[in-house]
Amino acid sequence: MLTHLAPGAGEDRPDALSVAGRACSREQLLGAAAAVAHRIAGAPAVAVHADASLETVAAVTGGLLAGVPVVPLPPDAGPAERGHILRDSGAALVLGGTGGLPVDTLPVDTLPVDMGERGDWSGAEPAPDSTALILYTSGTTGAPKGALIPRGAVAAGLDGLAEAWQWTAGDTLVHGLPLFHVHGLVLGVLGALRTGCRLVHTGRPTPEAYAAAGGSLYFGVPTVWSRVVREPGAARELAGARLLVSGSAALPAPVFRDLEALTGQRPVERYGMTETLITVSARAGGERRPGAVGTPLRGVRTRLVAAESGIGELEVCGPTLFSGYLGRPEATAAAHTADGWFRTGDIAAIEEDGTHRIVGRASTDLIKSGGYRVGAGEVENALLDHPAVREAAVVGVPHDDLGQEIVAYVVADGATEKQLVDFVAGHLSVHKRPRRIRFLDALPRNAMGKPQKKLLPPM
Ligand code: MCA
Ligand code: AMP
């Protein structure tokens, strides 16, 4: 699957991969990953403490070599989120660090990753339908579900993007996205290992770091691009890049236009989901318009259901789809139609020339904040775990920087806003925290007693 990682697959260099200021060659990565593969071979699944480090890249690569499903753990996941992911996935151990948690609070053993090791791996390539990654992703209610991502889906998705973006071993890919989601890990790491391009991961996705990296291909979520255009000096440094790519949430049209004005190039927008990988994209050699995410990648088919005035829920099928939610056959069935298409929950329009536009989501209980998908129900449950909280309703409100900001309406006895924000940040993970909390005497409810989010007062 990682074709360009094999010895002799292409030019190597001491800084073939650079993550948060540390670099290694492909040969070094392969050596460290092979050592990991030997230790974990045969395990049902392994978790990876997915901080922005070379060790995370080696751990994930080791899992892929050994054919052991890899479960990336957000490095700041608090005990509730971490415990859920480890128990639900059945991961036998955690590779890498512990995120500062005492080892004995983890339900499984840990295994350090050493970039100095030089293992040798000659195991056969596992079957395309075997699981490469188990990615935990939020739904509208309850705890995150583990999406099973087959090896073949990763390979097909990356090859489709390589074709769409004319992405080759000659590129230098730059990004600073988290390594526990599709964008940063699948596209941003495995994409570099499959195409053979150089990777510079900037640690954090700051405008200054992007400007200094000298890449040809840049990935960012819209929040990153909106921060880039607010630093015109940094933005201008990107003028020499070949392609600026935006995804994970809608890129606001003013940011698109500012990027064009400052860099001389129109960003390429692409659309996808954890469950489907990237399915639709503008092309390197094609038209790029604000608000448009392009056309389906090779092998992907799309359709709109219940379309009124050309707008409806987007369904997709093709070789990049996940194989189901781990241990949740009902949720897997509910996410698919009888004829096997995946219901994205996104509302889209398809223009006459096939160009797709994403115009909204069917459910307001899935929030996109800074490109992170956060389920309102998960945050509400975390708030309700606080002893002072009696009722909680969480919504996403429009926000210039984050796209949507997570805010909570709470009925509580005595807790402060800061206490509740810190409670969620500590129990789940930092990006799932409400940024603002409004205290109410009671939530608005209908005659059946169900909370009515539409009737909540403005923040
Ligand atoms: C703030 N901090 C706190 C608290 N408040 N820490 C603990 N408790 C608190 N109450 C700290 C944080 O730890 C962090 O510290 C710092 O404040 C800033 O955190 P935050 O405000 O959350 O960060 P931000 O500046 O708002 O982040 C913006 C971002 C981030 C960098 C754009 O949202 C991001 O990385 N987004 C990418 C999401 C992504 O990759 N999504 C892809 C999903 P410190 O700075 O020290 O760490 S995959 C997908 O969607 C599909 C497949 C697709 O299409 O791609
Ligand atoms: P996630 O599961 O974190 O992978 O989030 C997937 C969701 O991100 C999709 O269902 C969309 O709502 C949203 N998304 C991804 N890319 C785009 C885009 N280019 N424009 C609008 N929304 C997007």
PDB file of all heavy atoms in Angstrom, residues 137-138 181-183 222 246-251 269-275 278 280 291-293 344-346 358-361 366 368 371-374, ligand 2:
ATOM      1  N   THR A 137     -15.019   8.658  15.137  1.00  0.00           N
ATOM      2  CA  THR A 137     -15.654   9.853  14.606  1.00  0.00           C
ATOM      3  C   THR A 137     -17.019  10.037  15.233  1.00  0.00           C
ATOM      4  O   THR A 137     -17.707   9.061  15.549  1.00  0.00           O
ATOM      5  CB  THR A 137     -15.720   9.766  13.061  1.00  0.00           C
ATOM      6  OG1 THR A 137     -16.150  11.014  12.555  1.00  0.00           O
ATOM      7  CG2 THR A 137     -16.635   8.658  12.573  1.00  0.00           C
ATOM      8  N   SER A 138     -17.396  11.293  15.442  1.00  0.00           N
ATOM      9  CA  SER A 138     -18.613  11.599  16.200  1.00  0.00           C
ATOM     10  C   SER A 138     -19.866  11.463  15.357  1.00  0.00           C
ATOM     11  O   SER A 138     -19.878  11.818  14.183  1.00  0.00           O
ATOM     12  CB  SER A 138     -18.546  13.041  16.707  1.00  0.00           C
ATOM     13  OG  SER A 138     -17.431  13.210  17.534  1.00  0.00           O
ATOM     14  N   HIS A 181      -6.806  12.114  12.204  1.00  0.00           N
ATOM     15  CA  HIS A 181      -7.980  12.163  11.321  1.00  0.00           C
ATOM     16  C   HIS A 181      -7.539  11.935   9.884  1.00  0.00           C
ATOM     17  O   HIS A 181      -6.344  11.980   9.567  1.00  0.00           O
ATOM     18  CB  HIS A 181      -8.682  13.517  11.425  1.00  0.00           C
ATOM     19  CG  HIS A 181      -9.527  13.660  12.652  1.00  0.00           C
ATOM     20  ND1 HIS A 181     -10.439  12.718  13.034  1.00  0.00           N
ATOM     21  CD2 HIS A 181      -9.597  14.643  13.584  1.00  0.00           C
ATOM     22  CE1 HIS A 181     -11.040  13.100  14.136  1.00  0.00           C
ATOM     23  NE2 HIS A 181     -10.536  14.272  14.507  1.00  0.00           N
ATOM     24  N   VAL A 182      -8.539  11.763   9.021  1.00  0.00           N
ATOM     25  CA  VAL A 182      -8.263  11.484   7.611  1.00  0.00           C
ATOM     26  C   VAL A 182      -7.377  12.574   6.995  1.00  0.00           C
ATOM     27  O   VAL A 182      -6.401  12.270   6.300  1.00  0.00           O
ATOM     28  CB  VAL A 182      -9.593  11.362   6.823  1.00  0.00           C
ATOM     29  CG1 VAL A 182      -9.359  11.439   5.322  1.00  0.00           C
ATOM     30  CG2 VAL A 182     -10.282  10.048   7.196  1.00  0.00           C
ATOM     31  N   HIS A 183      -7.706  13.836   7.248  1.00  0.00           N
ATOM     32  CA  HIS A 183      -7.010  14.907   6.549  1.00  0.00           C
ATOM     33  C   HIS A 183      -5.501  14.857   6.813  1.00  0.00           C
ATOM     34  O   HIS A 183      -4.693  14.731   5.893  1.00  0.00           O
ATOM     35  CB  HIS A 183      -7.605  16.255   6.965  1.00  0.00           C
ATOM     36  CG  HIS A 183      -7.294  17.372   6.028  1.00  0.00           C
ATOM     37  ND1 HIS A 183      -7.983  18.568   6.027  1.00  0.00           N
ATOM     38  CD2 HIS A 183      -6.361  17.504   5.050  1.00  0.00           C
ATOM     39  CE1 HIS A 183      -7.491  19.359   5.084  1.00  0.00           C
ATOM     40  NE2 HIS A 183      -6.503  18.744   4.488  1.00  0.00           N
ATOM     41  N   PRO A 222     -10.238  25.212   6.461  1.00  0.00           N
ATOM     42  CA  PRO A 222     -10.540  26.626   6.210  1.00  0.00           C
ATOM     43  C   PRO A 222     -10.036  27.569   7.302  1.00  0.00           C
ATOM     44  O   PRO A 222      -9.597  28.683   7.002  1.00  0.00           O
ATOM     45  CB  PRO A 222     -12.074  26.628   6.113  1.00  0.00           C
ATOM     46  CG  PRO A 222     -12.395  25.269   5.558  1.00  0.00           C
ATOM     47  CD  PRO A 222     -11.421  24.338   6.219  1.00  0.00           C
ATOM     48  N   SER A 246      -7.800  23.053   0.166  1.00  0.00           N
ATOM     49  CA  SER A 246      -8.612  23.266   1.365  1.00  0.00           C
ATOM     50  C   SER A 246      -9.671  22.182   1.470  1.00  0.00           C
ATOM     51  O   SER A 246     -10.251  21.775   0.468  1.00  0.00           O
ATOM     52  CB  SER A 246      -9.299  24.638   1.314  1.00  0.00           C
ATOM     53  OG  SER A 246     -10.095  24.821   2.478  1.00  0.00           O
ATOM     54  N   GLY A 247      -9.929  21.741   2.697  1.00  0.00           N
ATOM     55  CA  GLY A 247     -10.979  20.751   2.910  1.00  0.00           C
ATOM     56  C   GLY A 247     -11.266  20.558   4.377  1.00  0.00           C
ATOM     57  O   GLY A 247     -10.641  21.188   5.236  1.00  0.00           O
ATOM     58  N   SER A 248     -12.229  19.691   4.666  1.00  0.00           N
ATOM     59  CA  SER A 248     -12.746  19.333   5.994  1.00  0.00           C
ATOM     60  C   SER A 248     -13.918  20.201   6.409  1.00  0.00           C
ATOM     61  O   SER A 248     -14.629  19.867   7.359  1.00  0.00           O
ATOM     62  CB  SER A 248     -11.692  19.378   7.114  1.00  0.00           C
ATOM     63  OG  SER A 248     -10.619  18.523   6.818  1.00  0.00           O
ATOM     64  N   ALA A 249     -14.106  21.344   5.756  1.00  0.00           N
ATOM     65  CA  ALA A 249     -15.249  22.219   6.017  1.00  0.00           C
ATOM     66  C   ALA A 249     -15.299  23.204   4.848  1.00  0.00           C
ATOM     67  O   ALA A 249     -14.363  23.242   4.035  1.00  0.00           O
ATOM     68  CB  ALA A 249     -15.090  22.956   7.345  1.00  0.00           C
ATOM     69  N   ALA A 250     -16.379  23.959   4.800  1.00  0.00           N
ATOM     70  CA  ALA A 250     -16.550  24.875   3.673  1.00  0.00           C
ATOM     71  C   ALA A 250     -15.555  26.039   3.756  1.00  0.00           C
ATOM     72  O   ALA A 250     -15.417  26.668   4.811  1.00  0.00           O
ATOM     73  CB  ALA A 250     -17.972  25.410   3.664  1.00  0.00           C
ATOM     74  N   LEU A 251     -14.892  26.327   2.658  1.00  0.00           N
ATOM     75  CA  LEU A 251     -13.968  27.474   2.613  1.00  0.00           C
ATOM     76  C   LEU A 251     -14.797  28.724   2.294  1.00  0.00           C
ATOM     77  O   LEU A 251     -15.418  28.803   1.227  1.00  0.00           O
ATOM     78  CB  LEU A 251     -12.921  27.254   1.517  1.00  0.00           C
ATOM     79  CG  LEU A 251     -11.833  28.324   1.411  1.00  0.00           C
ATOM     80  CD1 LEU A 251     -10.904  28.283   2.623  1.00  0.00           C
ATOM     81  CD2 LEU A 251     -11.024  28.163   0.130  1.00  0.00           C
ATOM     82  N   GLU A 269     -10.539  23.097  -3.731  1.00  0.00           N
ATOM     83  CA  GLU A 269     -11.369  22.573  -2.635  1.00  0.00           C
ATOM     84  C   GLU A 269     -11.728  21.132  -2.909  1.00  0.00           C
ATOM     85  O   GLU A 269     -12.028  20.772  -4.049  1.00  0.00           O
ATOM     86  CB  GLU A 269     -12.651  23.386  -2.503  1.00  0.00           C
ATOM     87  CG  GLU A 269     -12.551  24.483  -1.470  1.00  0.00           C
ATOM     88  CD  GLU A 269     -13.915  24.850  -0.898  1.00  0.00           C
ATOM     89  OE1 GLU A 269     -14.353  24.191   0.063  1.00  0.00           O
ATOM     90  OE2 GLU A 269     -14.526  25.780  -1.430  1.00  0.00           O
ATOM     91  N   ARG A 270     -11.704  20.338  -1.862  1.00  0.00           N
ATOM     92  CA  ARG A 270     -12.143  18.945  -1.989  1.00  0.00           C
ATOM     93  C   ARG A 270     -13.024  18.605  -0.819  1.00  0.00           C
ATOM     94  O   ARG A 270     -12.983  19.240   0.235  1.00  0.00           O
ATOM     95  CB  ARG A 270     -10.925  18.028  -2.167  1.00  0.00           C
ATOM     96  CG  ARG A 270     -10.380  17.419  -0.911  1.00  0.00           C
ATOM     97  CD  ARG A 270      -9.834  18.437   0.060  1.00  0.00           C
ATOM     98  NE  ARG A 270      -9.314  17.914   1.293  1.00  0.00           N
ATOM     99  CZ  ARG A 270     -10.002  17.405   2.315  1.00  0.00           C
ATOM    100  NH1 ARG A 270     -11.290  17.333   2.280  1.00  0.00           N
ATOM    101  NH2 ARG A 270      -9.398  16.970   3.390  1.00  0.00           N
ATOM    102  N   TYR A 271     -13.854  17.557  -1.018  1.00  0.00           N
ATOM    103  CA  TYR A 271     -14.869  17.202  -0.029  1.00  0.00           C
ATOM    104  C   TYR A 271     -14.754  15.717   0.322  1.00  0.00           C
ATOM    105  O   TYR A 271     -14.478  14.891  -0.552  1.00  0.00           O
ATOM    106  CB  TYR A 271     -16.259  17.489  -0.618  1.00  0.00           C
ATOM    107  CG  TYR A 271     -17.363  16.721   0.057  1.00  0.00           C
ATOM    108  CD1 TYR A 271     -17.935  17.187   1.244  1.00  0.00           C
ATOM    109  CD2 TYR A 271     -17.823  15.522  -0.474  1.00  0.00           C
ATOM    110  CE1 TYR A 271     -18.928  16.461   1.880  1.00  0.00           C
ATOM    111  CE2 TYR A 271     -18.814  14.794   0.159  1.00  0.00           C
ATOM    112  CZ  TYR A 271     -19.366  15.273   1.334  1.00  0.00           C
ATOM    113  OH  TYR A 271     -20.341  14.555   1.963  1.00  0.00           O
ATOM    114  N   GLY A 272     -14.962  15.416   1.585  1.00  0.00           N
ATOM    115  CA  GLY A 272     -14.951  14.010   1.983  1.00  0.00           C
ATOM    116  C   GLY A 272     -15.457  13.845   3.387  1.00  0.00           C
ATOM    117  O   GLY A 272     -15.962  14.787   4.007  1.00  0.00           O
ATOM    118  N   MET A 273     -15.339  12.622   3.877  1.00  0.00           N
ATOM    119  CA  MET A 273     -15.749  12.287   5.242  1.00  0.00           C
ATOM    120  C   MET A 273     -14.836  11.181   5.748  1.00  0.00           C
ATOM    121  O   MET A 273     -14.261  10.438   4.943  1.00  0.00           O
ATOM    122  CB  MET A 273     -17.176  11.727   5.271  1.00  0.00           C
ATOM    123  CG  MET A 273     -18.240  12.730   4.982  1.00  0.00           C
ATOM    124  SD  MET A 273     -19.872  11.978   5.203  1.00  0.00           S
ATOM    125  CE  MET A 273     -20.030  11.981   6.989  1.00  0.00           C
ATOM    126  N   THR A 274     -14.786  11.019   7.049  1.00  0.00           N
ATOM    127  CA  THR A 274     -14.044   9.899   7.610  1.00  0.00           C
ATOM    128  C   THR A 274     -14.512   8.582   6.979  1.00  0.00           C
ATOM    129  O   THR A 274     -13.692   7.739   6.595  1.00  0.00           O
ATOM    130  CB  THR A 274     -14.264   9.858   9.140  1.00  0.00           C
ATOM    131  OG1 THR A 274     -13.854  11.115   9.682  1.00  0.00           O
ATOM    132  CG2 THR A 274     -13.481   8.730   9.782  1.00  0.00           C
ATOM    133  N   GLU A 275     -15.818   8.430   6.860  1.00  0.00           N
ATOM    134  CA  GLU A 275     -16.386   7.155   6.382  1.00  0.00           C
ATOM    135  C   GLU A 275     -16.166   6.898   4.900  1.00  0.00           C
ATOM    136  O   GLU A 275     -16.285   5.761   4.442  1.00  0.00           O
ATOM    137  CB  GLU A 275     -17.897   7.118   6.641  1.00  0.00           C
ATOM    138  CG  GLU A 275     -18.291   7.039   8.114  1.00  0.00           C
ATOM    139  CD  GLU A 275     -18.450   8.402   8.769  1.00  0.00           C
ATOM    140  OE1 GLU A 275     -17.849   9.387   8.264  1.00  0.00           O
ATOM    141  OE2 GLU A 275     -19.166   8.481   9.785  1.00  0.00           O
ATOM    142  N   ILE A 278     -11.810  10.955   0.773  1.00  0.00           N
ATOM    143  CA  ILE A 278     -12.149  12.096  -0.095  1.00  0.00           C
ATOM    144  C   ILE A 278     -12.806  11.550  -1.365  1.00  0.00           C
ATOM    145  O   ILE A 278     -12.276  10.638  -2.005  1.00  0.00           O
ATOM    146  CB  ILE A 278     -10.895  12.920  -0.445  1.00  0.00           C
ATOM    147  CG1 ILE A 278     -10.150  13.309   0.853  1.00  0.00           C
ATOM    148  CG2 ILE A 278     -11.270  14.162  -1.264  1.00  0.00           C
ATOM    149  CD1 ILE A 278     -10.991  13.961   1.931  1.00  0.00           C
ATOM    150  N   VAL A 280     -14.768  13.836  -3.698  1.00  0.00           N
ATOM    151  CA  VAL A 280     -15.032  14.853  -4.718  1.00  0.00           C
ATOM    152  C   VAL A 280     -13.954  15.923  -4.605  1.00  0.00           C
ATOM    153  O   VAL A 280     -13.600  16.317  -3.498  1.00  0.00           O
ATOM    154  CB  VAL A 280     -16.431  15.500  -4.484  1.00  0.00           C
ATOM    155  CG1 VAL A 280     -16.718  16.580  -5.502  1.00  0.00           C
ATOM    156  CG2 VAL A 280     -17.536  14.446  -4.495  1.00  0.00           C
ATOM    157  N   GLY A 291     -16.819  28.097  -3.249  1.00  0.00           N
ATOM    158  CA  GLY A 291     -18.050  27.368  -2.915  1.00  0.00           C
ATOM    159  C   GLY A 291     -18.222  26.061  -3.660  1.00  0.00           C
ATOM    160  O   GLY A 291     -19.174  25.329  -3.408  1.00  0.00           O
ATOM    161  N   ALA A 292     -17.319  25.744  -4.584  1.00  0.00           N
ATOM    162  CA  ALA A 292     -17.458  24.518  -5.381  1.00  0.00           C
ATOM    163  C   ALA A 292     -16.365  23.538  -4.985  1.00  0.00           C
ATOM    164  O   ALA A 292     -15.206  23.919  -4.822  1.00  0.00           O
ATOM    165  CB  ALA A 292     -17.350  24.849  -6.866  1.00  0.00           C
ATOM    166  N   VAL A 293     -16.748  22.258  -4.808  1.00  0.00           N
ATOM    167  CA  VAL A 293     -15.765  21.259  -4.385  1.00  0.00           C
ATOM    168  C   VAL A 293     -15.378  20.310  -5.525  1.00  0.00           C
ATOM    169  O   VAL A 293     -14.721  19.296  -5.297  1.00  0.00           O
ATOM    170  CB  VAL A 293     -16.249  20.458  -3.145  1.00  0.00           C
ATOM    171  CG1 VAL A 293     -16.364  21.371  -1.931  1.00  0.00           C
ATOM    172  CG2 VAL A 293     -17.579  19.761  -3.416  1.00  0.00           C
ATOM    173  N   THR A 344     -24.396  10.576   3.243  1.00  0.00           N
ATOM    174  CA  THR A 344     -23.402  11.470   3.862  1.00  0.00           C
ATOM    175  C   THR A 344     -23.998  12.370   4.936  1.00  0.00           C
ATOM    176  O   THR A 344     -23.272  12.857   5.799  1.00  0.00           O
ATOM    177  CB  THR A 344     -22.739  12.384   2.811  1.00  0.00           C
ATOM    178  OG1 THR A 344     -23.749  13.275   2.300  1.00  0.00           O
ATOM    179  CG2 THR A 344     -22.099  11.585   1.685  1.00  0.00           C
ATOM    180  N   GLY A 345     -25.317  12.658   4.838  1.00  0.00           N
ATOM    181  CA  GLY A 345     -25.901  13.641   5.756  1.00  0.00           C
ATOM    182  C   GLY A 345     -25.597  15.069   5.338  1.00  0.00           C
ATOM    183  O   GLY A 345     -26.023  16.021   5.986  1.00  0.00           O
ATOM    184  N   ASP A 346     -24.865  15.229   4.231  1.00  0.00           N
ATOM    185  CA  ASP A 346     -24.577  16.582   3.733  1.00  0.00           C
ATOM    186  C   ASP A 346     -25.590  16.940   2.650  1.00  0.00           C
ATOM    187  O   ASP A 346     -25.999  16.092   1.850  1.00  0.00           O
ATOM    188  CB  ASP A 346     -23.161  16.653   3.145  1.00  0.00           C
ATOM    189  CG  ASP A 346     -22.115  16.613   4.237  1.00  0.00           C
ATOM    190  OD1 ASP A 346     -22.220  17.424   5.178  1.00  0.00           O
ATOM    191  OD2 ASP A 346     -21.209  15.760   4.169  1.00  0.00           O
ATOM    192  N   ILE A 358     -21.372  21.941  -1.637  1.00  0.00           N
ATOM    193  CA  ILE A 358     -21.926  21.476  -0.362  1.00  0.00           C
ATOM    194  C   ILE A 358     -22.612  22.689   0.262  1.00  0.00           C
ATOM    195  O   ILE A 358     -21.962  23.714   0.502  1.00  0.00           O
ATOM    196  CB  ILE A 358     -20.817  20.940   0.583  1.00  0.00           C
ATOM    197  CG1 ILE A 358     -19.950  19.889  -0.126  1.00  0.00           C
ATOM    198  CG2 ILE A 358     -21.414  20.392   1.876  1.00  0.00           C
ATOM    199  CD1 ILE A 358     -20.682  18.637  -0.587  1.00  0.00           C
ATOM    200  N   VAL A 359     -23.923  22.553   0.523  1.00  0.00           N
ATOM    201  CA  VAL A 359     -24.639  23.743   0.983  1.00  0.00           C
ATOM    202  C   VAL A 359     -25.075  23.656   2.447  1.00  0.00           C
ATOM    203  O   VAL A 359     -25.572  24.632   2.997  1.00  0.00           O
ATOM    204  CB  VAL A 359     -25.854  24.066   0.068  1.00  0.00           C
ATOM    205  CG1 VAL A 359     -25.397  24.394  -1.329  1.00  0.00           C
ATOM    206  CG2 VAL A 359     -26.845  22.910   0.037  1.00  0.00           C
ATOM    207  N   GLY A 360     -24.892  22.517   3.085  1.00  0.00           N
ATOM    208  CA  GLY A 360     -25.249  22.435   4.505  1.00  0.00           C
ATOM    209  C   GLY A 360     -25.263  21.000   4.971  1.00  0.00           C
ATOM    210  O   GLY A 360     -24.820  20.101   4.263  1.00  0.00           O
ATOM    211  N   ARG A 361     -25.758  20.799   6.201  1.00  0.00           N
ATOM    212  CA  ARG A 361     -25.876  19.441   6.746  1.00  0.00           C
ATOM    213  C   ARG A 361     -27.323  19.160   7.102  1.00  0.00           C
ATOM    214  O   ARG A 361     -28.053  20.063   7.515  1.00  0.00           O
ATOM    215  CB  ARG A 361     -25.050  19.315   8.034  1.00  0.00           C
ATOM    216  CG  ARG A 361     -23.598  18.995   7.795  1.00  0.00           C
ATOM    217  CD  ARG A 361     -23.017  18.255   8.990  1.00  0.00           C
ATOM    218  NE  ARG A 361     -23.594  16.939   9.122  1.00  0.00           N
ATOM    219  CZ  ARG A 361     -23.135  15.860   8.479  1.00  0.00           C
ATOM    220  NH1 ARG A 361     -22.121  15.943   7.675  1.00  0.00           N
ATOM    221  NH2 ARG A 361     -23.721  14.693   8.662  1.00  0.00           N
ATOM    222  N   LEU A 366     -24.473  17.775  14.248  1.00  0.00           N
ATOM    223  CA  LEU A 366     -23.059  17.537  13.937  1.00  0.00           C
ATOM    224  C   LEU A 366     -22.437  18.896  13.668  1.00  0.00           C
ATOM    225  O   LEU A 366     -22.827  19.602  12.744  1.00  0.00           O
ATOM    226  CB  LEU A 366     -22.899  16.647  12.706  1.00  0.00           C
ATOM    227  CG  LEU A 366     -22.792  15.143  12.927  1.00  0.00           C
ATOM    228  CD1 LEU A 366     -22.376  14.451  11.655  1.00  0.00           C
ATOM    229  CD2 LEU A 366     -21.816  14.803  14.045  1.00  0.00           C
ATOM    230  N   LYS A 368     -19.104  21.398  12.915  1.00  0.00           N
ATOM    231  CA  LYS A 368     -17.746  21.423  12.354  1.00  0.00           C
ATOM    232  C   LYS A 368     -17.052  22.669  12.882  1.00  0.00           C
ATOM    233  O   LYS A 368     -17.419  23.794  12.539  1.00  0.00           O
ATOM    234  CB  LYS A 368     -17.820  21.476  10.827  1.00  0.00           C
ATOM    235  CG  LYS A 368     -17.735  20.095  10.211  1.00  0.00           C
ATOM    236  CD  LYS A 368     -16.291  19.677   9.928  1.00  0.00           C
ATOM    237  CE  LYS A 368     -16.135  18.195   9.863  1.00  0.00           C
ATOM    238  NZ  LYS A 368     -14.867  17.757   9.276  1.00  0.00           N
ATOM    239  N   GLY A 371     -12.646  22.571  11.491  1.00  0.00           N
ATOM    240  CA  GLY A 371     -12.453  21.365  10.675  1.00  0.00           C
ATOM    241  C   GLY A 371     -12.664  20.080  11.458  1.00  0.00           C
ATOM    242  O   GLY A 371     -12.656  19.000  10.889  1.00  0.00           O
ATOM    243  N   TYR A 372     -12.832  20.182  12.766  1.00  0.00           N
ATOM    244  CA  TYR A 372     -13.125  18.993  13.586  1.00  0.00           C
ATOM    245  C   TYR A 372     -14.624  18.743  13.586  1.00  0.00           C
ATOM    246  O   TYR A 372     -15.410  19.676  13.762  1.00  0.00           O
ATOM    247  CB  TYR A 372     -12.710  19.222  15.045  1.00  0.00           C
ATOM    248  CG  TYR A 372     -11.235  19.152  15.315  1.00  0.00           C
ATOM    249  CD1 TYR A 372     -10.531  20.274  15.761  1.00  0.00           C
ATOM    250  CD2 TYR A 372     -10.537  17.966  15.182  1.00  0.00           C
ATOM    251  CE1 TYR A 372      -9.179  20.220  16.049  1.00  0.00           C
ATOM    252  CE2 TYR A 372      -9.178  17.894  15.471  1.00  0.00           C
ATOM    253  CZ  TYR A 372      -8.514  19.018  15.901  1.00  0.00           C
ATOM    254  OH  TYR A 372      -7.173  18.948  16.190  1.00  0.00           O
ATOM    255  N   ARG A 373     -14.996  17.459  13.454  1.00  0.00           N
ATOM    256  CA  ARG A 373     -16.408  17.075  13.548  1.00  0.00           C
ATOM    257  C   ARG A 373     -16.709  16.726  15.000  1.00  0.00           C
ATOM    258  O   ARG A 373     -16.049  15.865  15.574  1.00  0.00           O
ATOM    259  CB  ARG A 373     -16.630  15.886  12.625  1.00  0.00           C
ATOM    260  CG  ARG A 373     -17.917  15.134  12.778  1.00  0.00           C
ATOM    261  CD  ARG A 373     -18.021  14.188  11.586  1.00  0.00           C
ATOM    262  NE  ARG A 373     -18.729  12.979  11.878  1.00  0.00           N
ATOM    263  CZ  ARG A 373     -18.788  11.956  11.019  1.00  0.00           C
ATOM    264  NH1 ARG A 373     -18.184  12.005   9.849  1.00  0.00           N
ATOM    265  NH2 ARG A 373     -19.465  10.885  11.327  1.00  0.00           N
ATOM    266  N   VAL A 374     -17.674  17.397  15.577  1.00  0.00           N
ATOM    267  CA  VAL A 374     -17.994  17.200  16.995  1.00  0.00           C
ATOM    268  C   VAL A 374     -19.500  16.973  17.119  1.00  0.00           C
ATOM    269  O   VAL A 374     -20.294  17.770  16.620  1.00  0.00           O
ATOM    270  CB  VAL A 374     -17.576  18.433  17.828  1.00  0.00           C
ATOM    271  CG1 VAL A 374     -17.898  18.215  19.304  1.00  0.00           C
ATOM    272  CG2 VAL A 374     -16.080  18.725  17.657  1.00  0.00           C
TER     273      VAL A 374
HETATM  274  P1  AMP B   2     -15.260  14.191   9.232  1.00  0.00           P
HETATM  275  O1  AMP B   2     -16.026  13.045   9.494  1.00  0.00           O
HETATM  276  O2  AMP B   2     -14.524  14.834  10.322  1.00  0.00           O
HETATM  277  O3  AMP B   2     -14.448  13.558   8.276  1.00  0.00           O
HETATM  278  O4  AMP B   2     -16.150  15.312   8.590  1.00  0.00           O
HETATM  279  C1  AMP B   2     -16.827  15.147   7.389  1.00  0.00           C
HETATM  280  C2  AMP B   2     -17.698  16.330   7.121  1.00  0.00           C
HETATM  281  O5  AMP B   2     -16.905  17.485   6.851  1.00  0.00           O
HETATM  282  C3  AMP B   2     -18.554  16.182   5.895  1.00  0.00           C
HETATM  283  O6  AMP B   2     -19.707  15.405   6.146  1.00  0.00           O
HETATM  284  C4  AMP B   2     -18.861  17.636   5.563  1.00  0.00           C
HETATM  285  O7  AMP B   2     -19.942  18.098   6.341  1.00  0.00           O
HETATM  286  C5  AMP B   2     -17.598  18.362   5.986  1.00  0.00           C
HETATM  287  N1  AMP B   2     -16.726  18.717   4.854  1.00  0.00           N
HETATM  288  C6  AMP B   2     -15.586  18.122   4.462  1.00  0.00           C
HETATM  289  N2  AMP B   2     -15.056  18.776   3.414  1.00  0.00           N
HETATM  290  C7  AMP B   2     -15.875  19.808   3.115  1.00  0.00           C
HETATM  291  C8  AMP B   2     -15.884  20.853   2.139  1.00  0.00           C
HETATM  292  N3  AMP B   2     -14.909  20.990   1.254  1.00  0.00           N
HETATM  293  N4  AMP B   2     -16.918  21.721   2.144  1.00  0.00           N
HETATM  294  C9  AMP B   2     -17.916  21.605   3.044  1.00  0.00           C
HETATM  295  N5  AMP B   2     -17.958  20.657   4.003  1.00  0.00           N
HETATM  296  C10 AMP B   2     -16.947  19.768   4.034  1.00  0.00           C
END
